[in-house]
Amino acid sequence: PTNHEPIYKAIIRRWGSYHNFLKERKVNGNLIRGYKWKEWENLVIKICKRLYKNASIKKQLNGKRLYPDVSVLDHDGNVIKLIDAKLSSYLHREEILKYYDECKKIEFWCLHGKNNKKLNYKGIEILDSNKIKDDLQKANLNEFSKEIEGLKKPC
């Protein structure tokens, strides 16, 4: 498959964001980004349902307004891991910490970017799409790799 990440990075360098690139070309980037974000979230949920027997989708955490994409539960129904789908690995501190009081094992599954962020919080991981594909291969779930690559394409 073709890797479009170099093109995406060049667009970011030149225009500052993919949205600015699309705006200059009079394309409604919100439609594309919104679609891609939802498709990525749906794929992460589909993968997690196969990976984890006790995966709960959009489970509200302790009555708060927190709804991670996937909560992995132990046999008693307690949350042992949270997984949240993100388009980019360029996360802000607030995004990283918003679930930390509720669960100390959190994974952010990122379609774009690399896992090069140094985190000072034990139990929080940022997984880029290559790491996710490697983990899927180890779990004999290679069929999702093609879908991931398809979503990585800029348009």
Side-chain angles (χ1 to χ4, degrees):
T2 306
N3 184 350
H4 294 280
E5 195 160 346
I7 295 168
Y8 182 79
K9 287 179 179 180
I11 289 169
I12 300 305
R13 276 193 306 274
R14 170 66 176 84
W15 284 275
S17 73
Y18 194 64
H19 177 74
N20 291 343
F21 167 74
L22 294 174
K23 186 176 173 184
E24 186 175 303
R25 275 142 188 78
K26 298 181 179 26
V27 175
N28 187 343
N30 290 328
L31 295 175
I32 294 170
R33 190 170 46 251
Y35 168 79
K36 190 161 293 240
W37 165 76
K38 194 64 181 164
E39 288 296 306
W40 175 237
E41 180 182 83
N42 289 339
L43 181 56
V44 168
I45 289 169
K46 186 165 72 167
I47 291 169
C48 287
K49 284 180 175 180
R50 292 275 306 276
L51 274 175
Y52 303 104
K53 188 172 94 173
N54 294 330
S56 178
I57 309 309
K58 301 290 186 181
K59 176 182 173 56
Q60 184 178 16
L61 299 178
N62 295 325
K64 296 181 181 177
R65 293 180 59 169
L66 295 173
Y67 300 89
D69 296 324
V70 179
S71 300
V72 180
L73 310 175
D74 65 13
H75 63 279
D76 294 324
N78 300 310
V79 177
I80 57 173
K81 181 195 288 190
L82 299 176
I83 299 170
D84 210 34
K86 300 289 183 187
L87 282 180
S88 170
S89 64
Y90 302 105
L91 302 172
H92 298 284
R93 184 175 187 271
E94 294 78 28
E95 288 179 282
I96 293 171
L97 294 179
K98 73 178 179 180
Y99 300 123
Y100 199 66
D101 288 339
E102 307 305 319
C103 185
K104 299 300 185 212
K105 183 149 180 64
I106 305 164
E107 293 179 355
F108 293 98
W109 289 24
C110 303
L111 183 61
H112 297 287
K114 296 201 181 306
N115 180 8
N116 57 7
K117 186 178 274 283
K118 303 288 185 233
L119 299 174
N120 294 324
Y121 300 94
K122 185 177 179 182
I124 296 179
E125 288 186 78
I126 297 174
L127 281 66
D128 62 40
S129 57
N130 291 326
K131 169 75 169 119
I132 295 165
K133 288 190 305 183
D134 289 345
D135 290 349
L136 290 172
Q137 184 177 10
K138 291 174 190 168
N140 293 318
L141 294 172
N142 297 333
E143 66 266 24
F144 294 113
S145 291
K146 190 172 184 176
E147 287 182 74
I148 292 171
E149 284 305 312
L151 283 175
K152 285 177 73 172
K153 295 178 182 175
C155 291

